Amino acid sequence: MDRILESLQYLIAQELPHRDPAFVFKDLNVVAMLQEFWENKQKQRSVFPGEGTVVYESLNSPGPPFVCYVTLPGGSCFGNFQSCLSRAEARRDAAKVALINSLFNELPCRKITKEFIMESVQEAVSSTSGTLSDADDPSTSIGAYHYMLECNMGKTMLEFQELMIVFQLLHWNGSLKALRETKCSRQEVISYYSQYSLDERMRSHMALDWIMKEQESPGIISQELQVALRELEEARKAGQELRFYKEKKEILSLALSQIYSNQVTSASHGDEMDLALKGYH
C-alpha cells in the first residue's frame, strides 16, 4: 500500500506539477484537478483523443444523502462512495474517486503487457472452470479474453474497458449468444464490434431487444431494472467503476420509456378514433 501511495504521489508530481502530492486528495478543489488532469492528457493526445471533458451527473433528491456520478473521457464512470450531506460534497467525493483511479491507471502495472496478459489469463482460469490450454482456443471464453487482451497490447486498462463494456452489455443482452447460434466465430464478433464504441444508436438497438423480451415475458424489464439499480448502488458504495451497471440502467430505462410512450400514443389514437366515430354517427 505504501508503495502504491508513493507511486501515485510520483505521478501527481508528473501530471500536476504545481500541486503538492501530499495534500492533493485533501484539496477542496479536486474537481478542478480532475479536469486539469484530463485536459493535459488530451493535449498529449495520449488517450481518447478529442475527448477531454469530464461530465458530472447529480441525481435528483429532495435531501441527503446526495449522489453524484462523474464520467471520464472514454466512458469510465465513478461515483461518490461516502454519504454526502450536500450536492457539492457528493461532486467532490466523486471527483476524488475518479482522480485516484485516473492516476492509478497511469501506473506501469495498469498497462497491458505480455506479463499482464499472462497474469490476467491465469486469474480468469482460476475463477472459472477453464484451463490454461483454453487460452490458445479463441472459441472458448478464456481464449476470447486472451485474444482481446493481445489485440490491445500497450493500452491502459481504462482504454481496454472502453472496448470491454460493449461485450459485457452484448453478453448481458443475449446478443452474443444469438451471434454464436448464427455460427459466427468469436474472432469475427470481436473484430466486428471492436470497430464500434457504445453510442446512442447501439443503446437504442439494445433497448429494442429488451422491448421484444418484454413482449415475451411481461415484467422482465422492471425486474432487470431493479437488479441494475441495486448493483449500481452497491458498486458505487464500494468505490468501483460503474459504467456497466449505469449503462444497464440507462438501456432498461430507455426501453421502459419507449413502451410507455407507445402506450400513450396508442391510447390517444384510440380516443381520437372514438371521437371521429361519434362525429360520423
Side-chain angles (χ1 to χ4, degrees):
M1 180 60 72
D2 289 341
R3 186 171 296 177
I4 291 175
L5 287 174
E6 287 176 7
S7 298
L8 286 176
Q9 289 182 343
Y10 173 74
L11 285 169
I12 291 167
Q14 283 189 314
E15 302 292 339
L16 304 169
H18 58 287
R19 306 282 186 179
D20 187 341
F23 297 100
V24 69
F25 296 119
K26 298 177 183 179
D27 195 324
L28 293 178
N29 206 19
V30 67
V31 172
M33 284 188 284
L34 179 64
Q35 182 64 36
E36 180 186 342
F37 173 88
W38 281 101
E39 285 178 353
N40 288 341
K41 300 304 288 182
Q42 200 221 358
K43 288 175 184 175
Q44 298 167 10
R45 294 287 193 272
S46 54
V47 290
F48 309 118
E51 298 182 39
T53 305
V54 176
V55 179
Y56 291 88
E57 177 191 350
S58 295
L59 295 190
N60 290 327
S61 175
F66 292 99
V67 174
C68 181
Y69 299 113
V70 54
T71 301
L72 303 177
S76 293
C77 180
F78 300 92
N80 59 298
F81 70 94
Q82 298 188 61
S83 181
C84 298
L85 301 179
S86 71
R87 288 183 175 84
E89 183 185 357
R91 186 181 174 97
R92 287 194 298 269
D93 193 53
K96 187 184 297 183
V97 175
L99 181 58
I100 291 172
N101 279 276
S102 297
L103 289 166
F104 187 66
N105 188 59
E106 297 298 306
L107 294 175
C109 63
R110 301 295 288 173
K111 290 273 188 182
I112 298 178
T113 61
K114 288 184 178 180
E115 293 75 16
F116 180 91
I117 292 173
M118 287 179 60
E119 291 176 5
S120 298
V121 169
Q122 288 173 350
E123 287 178 10
V125 168
S126 64
S127 62
T128 65
S129 57
T131 63
L132 277 177
S133 60
D134 291 338
D136 297 323
D137 182 1
S139 66
T140 66
S141 297
I142 298 293
Y145 180 55
H146 184 211
Y147 176 74
M148 290 177 70
L149 284 170
E150 287 195 325
C151 289
N152 288 272
M153 185 85 75
K155 292 185 177 180
T156 66
M157 283 307 295
L158 282 184
E159 291 175 288
F160 182 60
Q161 283 174 4
E162 169 73 359
L163 171 66
M164 278 296 293
I165 189 68
V166 173
F167 291 97
Q168 284 179 290
L169 289 169
L170 289 171
H171 175 71
W172 161 71
N173 206 41
S175 298
L176 286 184
K177 182 180 179 182
L179 285 169
R180 284 200 296 271
E181 290 172 353
T182 63
K183 306 301 181 183
C184 288
S185 69
R186 289 179 188 264
Q187 294 108 312
E188 289 173 332
V189 174
I190 291 170
S191 297
Y192 178 78
Y193 280 103
S194 294
Q195 305 172 51
Y196 301 96
S197 59
L198 187 58
D199 56 15
E200 291 305 318
R201 182 171 173 271
M202 189 177 290
R203 291 186 188 95
S204 295
H205 279 303
M206 291 187 181
L208 183 60
D209 288 339
W210 281 101
I211 291 172
M212 295 172 66
K213 292 177 192 288
E214 180 74 15
Q215 293 172 349
E216 298 173 359
S217 304
I220 191 172
I221 293 179
S222 294
Q223 293 173 13
E224 282 289 326
L225 183 57
Q226 289 301 314
V227 171
L229 289 170
R230 185 175 65 250
E231 290 175 338
L232 179 60
E233 180 77 357
E234 291 172 352
R236 179 182 63 80
K237 290 181 177 178
Q240 297 174 4
E241 204 278 328
L242 306 175
R243 189 177 185 189
F244 176 55
Y245 311 111
K246 195 165 181 293
E247 291 289 356
K248 287 204 297 183
K249 183 192 77 127
E250 298 294 338
I251 291 165
L252 293 166
S253 298
L254 177 60
L256 276 181
S257 68
Q258 289 180 356
I259 290 173
Y260 176 74
S261 176
N262 290 339
Q263 289 174 343
V264 170
T265 302
S266 298
S268 175
H269 181 67
D271 291 341
E272 290 173 1
M273 286 295 292
D274 287 343
L275 288 171
L277 289 171
K278 286 176 182 178
Y280 174 77
H281 291 301

